[in-house]
Amino acid sequence: MIRIFVTRPFADDGIKMLKAKKYRVDVFEKDEVISRKELLKRVKGCDGLLSLLTDKIDAEVMEAAGPSLKIIANYAVGFDNIDLIEARKRNIVVTNTPSDFVNRSVAEHAFALILALAHRIPESDTYARAGKYKGWSPNNLIGTDIEGKTLGIVGLGRIGMSLAKKAVSGFGMNCVYSDMRRNAEFEKEFNANHLSLAKLLQTSDFISLHVPLLPSTRHLISTEEFSLMKKTAFLINTSRGPVVDEKALLRALRTKRIAGAGIDVYECEPAIDCDLTDRLELKQFTNAVLTPHTASATIEARQAMSRVAAENLIAVLSGKEPINPAK
Ligand code: DGY
């Protein structure tokens, strides 16, 4: 009997699909990150592993699973938690879960951060709840419009495109993007200019990051990049934490080098700050809007991710090509 190990309970569409195939589906019982010890024990002898971005899947885990393991289906678009080279060596297929629902959810979240920053929503909420609102004032909590402002998209994948659609068609923003590849169709549809990263940083009012975490994108945004941004610019990160040099971000906020930041992912996740030796913490800045890696946390996206992971497991375990190979 084909056995799948799932490292945490989650949206059940995919689990139902796997059970309908009469696979034995063994789901870790607790709604918490599985311990290393438990993971190494439970993967033993499985044919498919359904892992999360919080599970480090390396040679040790693959070894513990043994030769039956044919596929690691990661329940995420990103797959920087998996040692792809090791998997390739062992002929284990690795897949991820791109889906229109995930793209939409992450793009909506990035847009929510843009609006929250521009209209100072969390600050206003805190102010109102604290009973500080004593009467209308022309000078209180002044934000900024986004219509007519320039959105810079760094990494034009499906999420970046979905964000551009909302920004340009829905809110009248201008759009520029930087990517290794140009996309003529996108440029035409959204009247978007392709720029170098440096030029994009110099011209954008809102900069949204949508690149995968690779050796080449680690600290893509660091001190030099912040020095190029407008002082009125806002940085949005819903990609992966280490794409932004957290210390450089903290310095940029402290020195008012930029106007603010909307952050969903953290360099030393799940810690919000890597260390506090310099007494600088993201949460001390009221112009930083922080969410706990929840950009894809909608019921639609989570169920879609679950279905996509199951489709990949079923394909590979039926001897077919994976639908979403991680590459
Ligand atoms: C992803 O899919 O990579 C997100 O970060 C989590 O859903």
Side-chain angles (χ1 to χ4, degrees):
M1 185 187 236
I2 289 179
R3 189 180 151 246
I4 314 279
F5 180 57
V6 184
T7 63
R8 190 164 180 165
F10 52 72
D12 60 354
D13 275 9
I15 305 297
K16 286 186 194 147
M17 289 163 66
L18 297 171
K19 287 188 175 161
K21 294 296 285 184
K22 305 264 182 283
Y23 297 163
R24 193 177 130 208
V25 186
D26 178 16
V27 184
F28 180 57
E29 300 71 24
K30 297 182 194 156
D31 187 16
E32 62 187 45
V33 177
I34 190 169
S35 71
R36 185 79 180 166
K37 195 166 156 218
E38 188 75 9
L39 175 62
L40 293 173
K41 190 170 105 195
R42 302 278 293 265
V43 287
K44 198 168 168 12
C46 69
D47 300 275
L49 171 61
L50 213 169
S51 56
L52 307 189
L53 61 90
T54 41
D55 306 319
K56 185 169 161 34
I57 309 296
D58 55 11
E60 193 184 16
V61 175
M62 297 177 208
E63 190 60 35
S68 57
L69 184 62
K70 295 167 200 68
I71 169 168
I72 301 164
N74 210 37
Y75 184 76
V77 176
F79 42 83
D80 45 285
N81 56 310
I82 300 177
D83 186 340
L84 286 191
I85 298 172
E86 189 61 38
R88 205 167 300 135
K89 265 199 239 157
R90 294 168 184 260
N91 280 325
I92 300 169
V93 174
V94 178
T95 61
N96 67 343
T97 55
S99 141
D100 285 347
F101 291 99
V102 178
N103 302 338
R104 183 196 298 169
S105 175
V106 177
E108 283 183 6
H109 197 92
F111 209 79
L113 291 173
I114 290 174
L115 284 170
L117 287 161
H119 286 266
R120 302 178 64 176
I121 303 292
E123 280 177 88
S124 302
D125 180 82
T126 306
Y127 182 89
R129 284 170 197 270
K132 291 186 181 164
Y133 181 48
K134 302 288 182 216
W136 186 85
S137 152
N139 306 314
N140 200 15
L141 288 159
I142 305 293
T144 172
D145 283 347
I146 63 169
E147 185 164 340
K149 299 281 164 51
T150 298
L151 169 67
I153 295 175
V154 180
L156 190 72
R158 284 166 287 208
I159 295 173
M161 284 190 214
S162 176
L163 178 62
K165 188 170 164 192
K166 294 173 206 333
V168 177
S169 314
F171 283 81
M173 295 183 84
N174 307 311
C175 180
V176 296
Y177 75 106
S178 76
D179 195 279
M180 282 181 316
R181 276 184 295 263
R182 280 189 74 156
N183 184 329
E185 209 180 306
F186 172 80
E187 289 176 28
K188 195 161 161 230
E189 186 171 355
F190 296 105
N191 197 21
N193 281 331
H194 179 264
L195 300 178
S196 66
L197 177 61
K199 251 290 107 343
L200 178 144
L201 298 174
Q202 284 163 346
T203 45
S204 300
D205 300 298
F206 295 86
I207 296 151
S208 193
L209 306 177
H210 299 284
V211 292
L213 177 61
L214 301 168
S216 58
T217 59
R218 185 171 287 274
H219 287 190
L220 182 71
I221 305 297
S222 189
T223 308
E224 192 182 326
E225 288 69 33
F226 282 113
S227 75
L228 296 173
M229 294 180 196
K230 292 180 183 179
K231 281 192 138 181
T232 50
F234 294 93
L235 177 72
I236 316 295
N237 190 12
T238 54
S239 64
R240 283 292 181 265
V243 171
V244 176
D245 176 350
E246 182 204 283
K247 289 287 171 206
L249 169 63
L250 286 166
R251 282 194 299 271
L253 289 170
R254 189 192 55 200
T255 59
K256 301 198 182 342
R257 180 81 275 299
I258 60 170
I263 306 291
D264 185 52
V265 286
Y266 303 88
E267 187 162 359
C268 298
E269 215 166 303
I272 300 290
D273 296 279
C274 288
D275 69 74
L276 300 174
T277 43
D278 50 11
R279 300 219 185 106
L280 270 182
E281 302 181 64
L282 267 173
K283 65 174 191 240
Q284 78 196 45
F285 295 100
T286 53
N287 54 345
V289 178
L290 311 178
T291 53
H293 204 148
T294 46
S296 67
T298 65
I299 185 64
E300 294 84 355
R302 289 285 190 255
Q303 287 289 19
M305 289 160 72
S306 164
R307 291 192 297 274
V308 174
E311 280 160 8
N312 280 287
L313 283 158
I314 293 167
V316 171
L317 295 172
S318 319
K320 302 195 187 111
E321 289 299 310
I323 304 152
N324 309 102
K327 40 182 185 201

